[in-house]
Amino acid sequence: MRRSVVALAGAALSVVFAFDATRAEAPGGTRAAPSFERTEERSACTAYYPLRRAFYGDTHVHTTFSFDAWGQGTLAGPRDAYRYARGEAIGIQPYDARGEPLGRARLRRPLDFAMVSDHSDLLGETRICKDASLEGSASLVCRVVRRFPRLGYLLVNGHTYSNEKPARYSFCGENGEVCLEAGREPWRVIQDAAEEFYDRSAACRFTTFVGYEWTAMPGGRNAHRNIVFRNEKAQAYPTTYIEDPTQEQLWAALERECLDAGTGCDAIAIPHNSNVSAGELFTNVERDGSPLTPETARRRARIETLVEVTQHKGDSECRVSAQDELCAFETLDYSTMQEAAFSSGEAIPPLVYAREVLTEGLVQDRRIGVNPFAFGLIGATDTHLAAPGMVDEDEYRGHAAGTMDSRFGPAPFPDYESYNPGGLAGVWAEENSRDSLFEAMRRREAFGTSGPRMSVRLFGGWEYPDSLCEQADFAAEGYAGGVPMGGTLEGPPLEGPGVPRFAVRAWRDPGGGGVPSTPLQRIQIVKGAVDPATGETRETVFDVAGDAGREADVDLRTCTPRGPGFDELCTVWSDPDFDPAAHAYYYARVVENPSCRWNQWACNAQGVDCEAGGVPRALRQCCDPEIPKTIQERAWSSPIWYRPQAGGAAASSPRP
Amino acid sequence: MDARVRRLRWVLFAVFFFTVPLPLLGPFDGFIPAVRHGIVAGAALAVAAFEGAEGPVRGAVGLFVAHAVVWTIVAFVASRVLARVLAPRLAGRGAGWFWAALVLWLLASVVFDLYATPFGRFQRVNLLGVFS
């Protein structure tokens, strides 16, 4: 009976929706009531995709309002960031004596959405130290910051972000009120800029989100989160690490001032850089060390629906191991940012990488009935140049915070060799509007890329036919017969073979605008599971489409990809090791053929010839064999979870 | 002690202390005279004394102060040793060569960007930039 209902629904959907939601889908079709709630006043988008399409954006952007960005010479503000994201040229450092920018930057392909996420903690201090007319500007701290910017960065960072007990400086007055008051103006500007650049017309060309970064780094252990507000209703003042130094306090503030305030406010928090968290970000115990409670797990799962799995400061997908050689991707070999300078040599502790944390989520779900770590995966840049989406390896200009000092102009080698331009967030949504994009983030129907605009769809169900990839209504069948990425399969069903089937499809970056495009190499499915008998966890990687054995490479002199690859890959795959009693998750990883890393592009642009010799000292990294010259860009889908349930339904909606 | 040797010692100390670039060891990539090490240490120490030396601030301040003290001592010892070595050789034309070399060094330090300021407003600077 259940099977016939599913088949009828699939047939109905394939008739109603004439176009499959592939990259080439045309908008329109029959517009049924949207699957998302409209919470704002705006025109309906002319371009509406019932089967959803991929929109690309960057939710991690710092401007001159962030202390570390300003200290490294960034004068571009939120409005400049949004102009850049829309494809307009903006001025960047260095600046001349009159404050005019000597550098220019332009995104060759505009983004669909972006969010300025300046650090909430020092909004006021940054403003005060910049503005001589404000109380506190003549303080010792501000004078040192202006006279010795990087020393100021070091001291302020150590006093606030890296401090287990962060505090405001004395010039902030009693209870920090002088600085908190001064911070209201930049917070207002951030919101005003988001409103000014949000296209509320039917054209829906560009979407902005109001947001900020809560920058906790106790003892140097990264616990940062970016807060994304669904619409213009945001907190009166962003939560800061100084006033609310624990994740529980952050969640409580978001619940009190937004989620449960009854004002129509909604928000999610996106953790990032778990690779340098030393386990601080994803904790599987209560603050007092007692076992995690269902209440805490539910709170986290409600608020932290996505994780930034890749960005400028390294990749956080998985631990380097012999079992998965692709985990050695943009890896930082230290557990905290402080160890980048003063290495302790200690091993990286557990619960740092997304994959092992997803697995821990299964363990907790099995123990307490709630998965605290049911998060989707996205990418972002963490640019401090106010340049959202500056991810192209061939035009990387650097990062501008605590790294190469871009006040002096783009260095010939623009960044530390261990860092990278960052990635992008891909969101499967019906239209380019805040409500549609935000709900996709909330239900975790999102994916991350390491920069290129490849796209990936993943569906999980019980009865997908092997021929699904040849069908024109791939996405319609995918939705009708199961759940998309971010969803949960509960089962197994009472009828049928009882083994989940995963339909995955990926498209290469189409290029355009002068941006190079590299063919796809393969698709993998990564599975994590908990043995129901022993409680042991296991993570397995399956090659499901494409060919890892092909001899594709790249000409390092010209950065031209060589060898065969794929424009598109698709398959329907069944788990050969499926245990219906075992909690599990599955996510897709799409890998491109090798291409030049940003450093090789930079070295080629400078005409470096290591064999000829005479390489300038500033470009000596070009000839260092330890620094990788190529990478394999990639995309990660959000997971689909499997939750064993006796007599459960064939499919369920995404878990909260 | 010969007054000439004492004067030579102080001249050499001034040269070492104010003009000879010495590294800032650790993660900060600096190459500045001992006096600039002292200025950096002084600024960091002042902030720490006034606002507290919580977290990694204490370690950073300690690093800067150590550099300032060590390089000042090195400048002092080097000036004494070099004065003792040079003094017998600076009679007559030897003195002329010494002062010519000194002037050349000072000119080079002002003309060429021999210094890397880790915490200043400019990255590579000449001697004037070190103190600007």
Side-chain angles (χ1 to χ4, degrees):
Chain A
M1 174 64 179
R2 192 178 298 109
R3 216 184 310 184
S4 56
V5 168
V6 169
L8 271 176
L13 278 168
S14 61
V15 168
V16 169
F17 300 118
F19 298 98
D20 188 13
T22 64
R23 190 198 303 278
E25 179 202 5
T30 303
R31 187 184 296 221
S35 63
F36 58 90
E37 180 188 0
R38 293 198 187 276
T39 67
E40 54 174 1
E41 295 286 330
R42 62 155 299 129
S43 302
C45 295
T46 304
Y48 180 84
Y49 304 86
L51 292 173
R52 301 171 182 150
R53 62 149 272 201
F55 294 97
Y56 294 90
D58 190 355
T59 55
H60 197 161
V61 179
H62 294 277
T63 75
T64 191
F65 289 162
S66 287
F67 177 80
D68 51 356
W70 168 65
Q72 300 306 300
T74 296
L75 298 182
R79 290 183 169 86
D80 298 302
Y82 289 131
R83 285 193 193 94
Y84 179 86
R86 292 192 320 186
E88 300 174 36
I90 65 167
I92 62 173
Q93 51 267 57
Y95 291 83
D96 64 18
R98 295 170 302 164
E100 294 295 321
L102 299 176
R104 305 287 291 175
R106 188 180 72 85
L107 203 55
R108 288 175 291 187
R109 291 186 294 183
L111 296 177
D112 296 309
F113 66 91
M115 182 183 86
V116 167
S117 59
D118 282 309
H119 299 292
S120 61
D121 326 90
L122 298 176
L123 284 177
E125 285 85 339
T126 305
R127 182 182 173 218
I128 288 170
C129 286
K130 280 187 206 177
D131 188 342
S133 70
L134 295 178
E135 177 188 353
S137 190
S139 64
L140 174 64
V141 171
C142 284
R143 280 185 281 135
V144 170
V145 164
R146 288 192 296 266
R147 178 66 180 83
F148 304 105
R150 285 195 72 198
L151 176 63
Y153 167 79
L154 179 74
L155 296 176
V156 172
N157 195 325
H159 187 83
T160 54
Y161 300 128
S162 301
N163 196 343
E164 303 265 6
K165 296 176 183 177
R168 296 203 179 268
Y169 285 111
S170 59
F171 72 84
C172 290
E174 196 169 338
N175 298 321
E177 55 197 31
V178 172
C179 293
L180 290 171
E181 186 58 35
R184 295 191 183 283
E185 172 66 11
W187 180 231
R188 184 190 63 75
V189 171
I190 288 167
Q191 294 176 83
D192 287 351
E195 182 58 37
E196 180 181 334
F197 285 84
Y198 177 36
D199 185 355
R200 288 181 183 270
S201 75
C204 293
R205 278 181 299 260
F206 185 68
T207 295
T208 64
F209 289 98
V210 176
Y212 63 91
E213 178 177 329
W214 177 82
T215 311
M217 203 159 63
R221 302 181 300 278
N222 191 94
H224 303 180
R225 274 99 165 163
N226 282 7
I227 313 304
V228 182
F229 291 98
R230 179 187 186 118
N231 49 41
E232 72 279 4
K233 299 178 180 68
Q235 291 170 278
Y237 198 90
T239 306
T240 76
Y241 171 61
I242 299 170
E243 276 72 37
D244 292 284
T246 70
Q247 63 190 13
E248 292 81 7
Q249 287 173 292
L250 169 67
W251 297 337
L254 290 175
E255 289 163 347
R256 182 178 63 246
E257 298 167 22
C258 179
L259 295 166
D260 302 327
T263 58
C265 181
D266 195 2
I268 60 173
I270 306 177
H272 59 262
N273 278 129
S274 63
N275 56 332
V276 287
S277 67
E280 182 76 29
L281 199 51
F282 298 117
T283 50
N284 60 354
V285 292
E286 297 292 330
R287 191 144 291 274
D288 60 7
S290 60
L292 201 66
T293 65
E295 291 70 34
T296 301
R298 236 174 252 117
R299 275 179 107 190
R300 183 193 283 269
R302 178 194 186 196
I303 294 172
E304 299 186 354
T305 63
L306 293 176
V307 160
E308 197 178 285
V309 74
T310 198
Q311 62 121 271
H312 166 260
K313 294 191 297 296
D315 190 83
S316 297
E317 184 205 350
C318 47
R319 196 173 290 262
V320 176
S321 73
Q323 286 69 40
D324 186 357
E325 75 279 4
L326 288 178
C327 290
F329 174 72
E330 302 295 356
T331 304
L332 300 183
D333 58 3
Y334 40 84
S335 60
T336 69
M337 291 309 297
Q338 283 182 354
E339 290 203 359
F342 308 102
S343 176
S344 70
E346 294 179 4
I348 295 176
L351 294 186
V352 161
Y353 294 99
R355 187 184 295 177
E356 62 203 29
V357 177
L358 287 169
T359 305
E360 175 64 20
L362 304 177
V363 171
Q364 294 297 325
D365 194 7
R366 190 163 163 263
R367 186 179 71 83
I368 59 176
V370 182
N371 185 343
F373 304 127
F375 48 74
L377 303 176
I378 63 166
T381 61
D382 193 9
T383 176
H384 283 57
L385 284 173
M390 182 184 273
V391 295
D392 297 333
E393 305 279 334
D394 62 329
E395 289 195 348
Y396 183 43
R397 306 288 289 274
H399 172 246
T403 56
M404 307 300 280
D405 203 329
S406 58
R407 288 174 294 146
F408 313 121
F413 206 78
D415 209 342
Y416 288 141
E417 57 269 14
S418 55
Y419 292 161
N420 74 90
L424 294 177
V427 172
W428 289 102
E430 295 87 350
E431 62 182 32
N432 190 3
S433 67
R434 283 176 174 171
D435 281 323
S436 183
L437 295 175
F438 185 87
E439 283 211 10
M441 294 183 198
R442 205 172 244 306
R443 66 174 180 267
R444 305 156 177 85
E445 197 173 357
F447 59 96
T449 88
S450 58
R453 298 194 194 188
M454 62 196 93
S455 58
V456 54
R457 295 204 86 139
L458 178 67
F459 295 97
W462 300 102
E463 296 177 344
Y464 292 135
D466 289 337
S467 61
L468 183 58
C469 288
E470 285 76 49
Q471 296 178 17
D473 55 355
F474 173 85
E477 287 292 317
Y479 282 113
V483 298
M485 64 176 77
T488 299
L489 286 175
E490 292 185 347
L494 296 176
E495 298 175 9
V499 177
R501 310 208 80 204
F502 295 93
V504 56
R505 189 169 219 149
W507 297 263
R508 73 183 278 181
D509 183 343
V515 178
S517 168
T518 305
L520 301 179
Q521 183 188 74
R522 55 179 152 155
I523 301 177
Q524 299 174 307
I525 298 282
V526 178
K527 173 189 176 183
V530 183
D531 188 308
T534 65
E536 287 182 5
T537 60
R538 187 175 170 190
E539 296 158 10
T540 316
V541 181
F542 301 91
D543 285 326
V544 302
D547 187 351
R550 289 175 182 244
E551 297 301 321
D553 66 358
V554 57
D555 183 341
L556 292 180
R557 292 169 301 132
T558 62
C559 287
T560 304
R562 297 185 297 210
F566 302 93
D567 293 338
E568 184 180 322
L569 288 166
C570 186
T571 192
V572 179
W573 173 81
S574 288
D575 178 3
D577 299 330
F578 180 66
D579 180 345
H583 288 72
Y585 66 78
Y586 303 82
Y587 69 84
R589 182 169 63 187
V590 182
V591 184
E592 282 186 352
N593 279 346
S595 55
C596 275
R597 194 169 179 260
W598 65 267
N599 46 297
Q600 187 62 28
W601 284 103
C603 295
N604 287 353
Q606 298 290 327
V608 172
D609 184 344
C610 296
E611 291 177 7
V615 177
R617 187 170 178 273
L619 293 168
R620 63 188 183 282
Q621 299 97 324
C622 294
C623 304
D624 185 346
E626 296 297 312
I627 299 172
K629 295 177 169 48
T630 64
I631 54 170
Q632 284 190 270
E633 304 270 22
R634 58 203 60 189
W636 306 264
S637 77
S638 289
I640 291 174
W641 286 267
Y642 169 74
R643 202 164 185 262
Q645 184 171 330
S652 75
S653 56
R655 295 181 57 74
Chain B
M1 183 188 299
D2 190 313
R4 189 162 51 102
V5 174
R6 273 201 301 276
R7 271 199 306 274
L8 182 61
R9 192 183 292 162
W10 282 115
V11 166
L12 288 171
F13 176 73
V15 169
F16 277 120
F17 188 71
F18 287 99
T19 73
V20 172
L22 298 163
L24 177 58
L25 302 172
F28 305 115
D29 281 343
F31 215 48
I32 45 178
V35 64
R36 181 61 185 259
H37 284 281
I39 293 172
V40 169
L45 204 54
V47 171
F50 204 71
E51 300 284 353
E54 301 293 336
V57 172
R58 192 170 304 156
V61 171
L63 184 72
F64 302 144
V65 169
H67 276 81
V69 168
V70 167
W71 289 136
T72 300
I73 292 172
V74 166
F76 182 77
V77 170
S79 63
R80 290 176 77 94
V81 169
L82 201 58
R84 192 182 290 271
V85 168
L86 288 178
R89 296 168 174 79
L90 294 188
R93 293 171 73 180
W97 285 113
F98 170 74
W99 290 109
L102 199 60
V103 168
L104 273 175
W105 164 248
L106 289 174
L107 273 175
S109 66
V110 168
V111 169
F112 299 107
D113 294 341
L114 303 177
Y115 308 91
T117 58
F119 300 122
R121 285 192 290 270
F122 303 96
Q123 191 173 35
R124 295 208 68 88
V125 294
N126 58 27
L127 187 62
L128 299 178
V130 169
F131 298 107
S132 68

